[in-house]
């Protein structure tokens, strides 16, 4: 937890916040601050700054909060991801959030197991893992996650508008060009499931304006491909 | 498993291999090949090629093997990694192996918990996770892993020789330049623990010729930083 993320509901007055949940546990057990010490804090979807410890007891911690700096710039990237299996989804949500992606579409694909769509992670834990990513990276802006359970209508009817005026890339190891170089430009990136998109899906994505690109002959797991591709496509 | 990795001991003659272990379970349950079908195989630390299924029963599968192609080129990278906690170590070993790093030093650092050095992962499971990475990526060449439990003697006595004639970089988010661009050049990359190297350690690494570099203001978990940095530092 490199940033303590505060919610509006934590504030007891305009600049005093009290927390008593998972965040309190972490701070009191790991960071162990003294009275008067300042920690890095941020307001969800707002500014970042410092929290000076005014009081800490066995169940809560009270901060005087100054919010005076901007969160890191978001990546200019909309990410389309074939829904990964639940265990991997957790980690991918944290990574996506930590790396600054703000628009995530979890989409269906032929090789996505149907059961993944009824996973409890998807139903209840998306925000929890996105928050962990923000706390890790030091960011306050919550990504938006969109679920699209049907591939064809999504790609035909919705995707052309989403990808309009952006560099549209589908990561695909076969019949593809090398991944384009880092550029701070609006990008829509599609990443397939384990085993890849099937040829029909690649065809539909190509029709929607997506160019196939690879990052080498090695086949990476989705959770490795996501940071590798984002790091390749965007400069610092 | 995008590649079935074979060992010398699997061969019953020069071009016939029989397997009956975890790999057999995976092939028979997931890939379900028919007699006559060919699968991608590779010999550990040797060539890659195809295995044609000659027979498959309830406990083993027999291949006729042709080994006629080179594994992917290795990354020209020696990676120094402050020993991560065991659960993360498993995933990092797979990632490092999948991305083509062939020399990995797991080193101590002030912020490495002493208990990590006696983890069963470190004692017994390193090769298992490296193999999973090779099978995932489609590579045959096993990385070499070196354990260095003492930071100072390693950095003072051994590291200058390891890093000689290479681009030596320590990933560090503070007082650092942006990460250099992708270049297919011999590189020694050091990545700290969660919380980073302490100033003394950075100083020692700088003395050993390492330049501090960052990949943005976001703080990434080690398992995310590894693919992000490798993807940033090396072209396809």
């Amino acid at each position: 937890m490199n940033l303590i993320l505060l919610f509006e509901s934590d504030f007891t007055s305009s600049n005093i916040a009290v927390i008593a949940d998972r965040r309190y546990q972490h701070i009191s057990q790991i960071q162990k601050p003294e009275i008067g010490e300042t920690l890095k804090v941020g307001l969800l979807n707002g500014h970042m700054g410092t929290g000076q410890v005014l009081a800490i007891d066995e169940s809560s911690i009270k901060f005087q909060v100054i919010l005076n700096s901007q969160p890191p710039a978001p990546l200019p990237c909309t990410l389309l991801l074939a829904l990964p299996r639940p265990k991997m989804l957790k980690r991918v949500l944290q990574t996506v959030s930590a790396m600054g992606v703000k628009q995530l579409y979890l989409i269906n694909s032929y090789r996505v197991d149907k059961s993944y769509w009824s996973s409890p992670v998807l139903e209840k834990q998306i925000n929890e893992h996105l928050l962990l990513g923000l706390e890790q990276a030091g960011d306050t802006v919550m990504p938006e996650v969109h679920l699209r359970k049907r591939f064809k209508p999504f790609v035909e009817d919705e995707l052309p508008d989403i990808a309009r005026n952006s560099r549209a890339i589908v990561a695909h190891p076969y019949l593809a060009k090398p991944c384009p170089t880092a550029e701070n430009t609006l990008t829509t990136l599609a990443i397939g499931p384990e085993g890849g998109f099937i040829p029909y899906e690649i065809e539909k994505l190509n029709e929607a304006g997506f160019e196939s690109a690879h990052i080498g002959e090695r086949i990476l797991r989705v959770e490795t491909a996501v940071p590798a591709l984002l790091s390749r496509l965007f400069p610092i």
Side-chain angles (χ1 to χ4, degrees), chain A:
Chain A
M1 198 191 271
N2 294 303
L3 175 89
I4 301 160
L5 213 46
L6 301 171
F7 308 105
E8 294 284 5
S9 58
D10 296 322
F11 283 80
T12 56
S13 73
S14 69
N15 65 345
I16 303 292
V18 178
I19 57 182
D21 55 11
R22 170 187 66 85
R23 295 165 295 165
Y24 164 77
Q25 300 293 342
H26 180 93
I27 296 163
S28 63
Q29 283 163 25
I30 310 283
Q31 299 179 298
K32 300 176 185 160
E34 317 246 312
I35 306 284
E37 213 172 304
T38 58
L39 300 176
K40 199 172 164 189
V41 304
L43 176 64
L44 185 69
N45 294 322
H47 281 71
M48 314 206 305
T50 54
Q52 185 173 28
V53 179
L54 295 181
I56 183 160
D57 62 22
E58 272 149 48
S59 64
S60 72
I61 184 164
K62 184 194 268 194
F63 290 108
Q64 175 157 341
V65 177
I66 299 173
L67 297 171
N68 56 5
S69 64
Q70 295 285 341
L75 280 196
C77 181
T78 296
L79 181 62
L80 277 52
L81 204 59
L83 182 65
R85 63 190 158 83
K87 206 174 153 186
M88 191 177 284
L89 176 61
K90 294 184 189 181
R91 294 199 293 267
V92 169
L93 287 169
Q94 291 184 35
T95 299
V96 161
S97 171
M99 293 195 76
V101 171
K102 299 303 175 195
Q103 293 292 333
L104 173 65
Y105 286 82
L106 294 170
I107 67 174
N108 198 31
S109 150
Y110 183 79
R111 295 207 176 100
V112 168
D113 192 300
K114 274 204 182 69
S115 68
Y116 298 172
W117 285 105
S118 46
S119 135
V121 178
L122 205 59
E123 285 177 6
K124 293 180 200 148
Q125 300 170 24
I126 287 184
N127 279 2
E128 174 187 333
H129 292 287
L130 295 174
L131 280 175
L132 290 174
L134 295 179
E135 290 175 347
Q136 164 66 38
D139 188 1
T140 65
V141 183
M142 195 69 168
E144 286 179 32
V145 178
H146 314 271
L147 308 184
R148 294 295 182 266
K149 290 193 190 183
R150 295 175 62 215
F151 181 86
K152 188 161 174 273
F154 170 69
V155 172
E156 286 185 351
D157 305 338
E158 202 176 351
L159 189 54
D161 277 342
I162 294 170
R164 198 181 308 286
N165 299 325
S166 80
R167 175 168 70 149
I169 296 163
V170 49
H172 189 58
Y174 313 105
L175 293 176
K177 296 189 207 173
C179 187
T181 49
E183 214 177 279
N184 206 353
T185 192
L186 204 61
T187 302
T188 313
L189 171 64
I191 301 180
E194 303 289 310
F197 286 119
I198 60 171
Y200 167 80
E201 292 167 339
I202 290 290
E203 203 177 293
K204 296 303 285 181
L205 286 164
N206 290 160
E207 278 171 24
F210 283 66
E211 201 162 334
S212 302
H214 70 80
I215 48 167
E217 54 184 310
R218 297 168 185 282
I219 312 293
L220 302 178
R221 282 180 308 170
V222 169
E223 63 190 291
T224 311
V226 168
L229 280 157
L230 293 176
S231 177
R232 180 71 59 99
L233 283 170
F234 300 99
I236 293 169

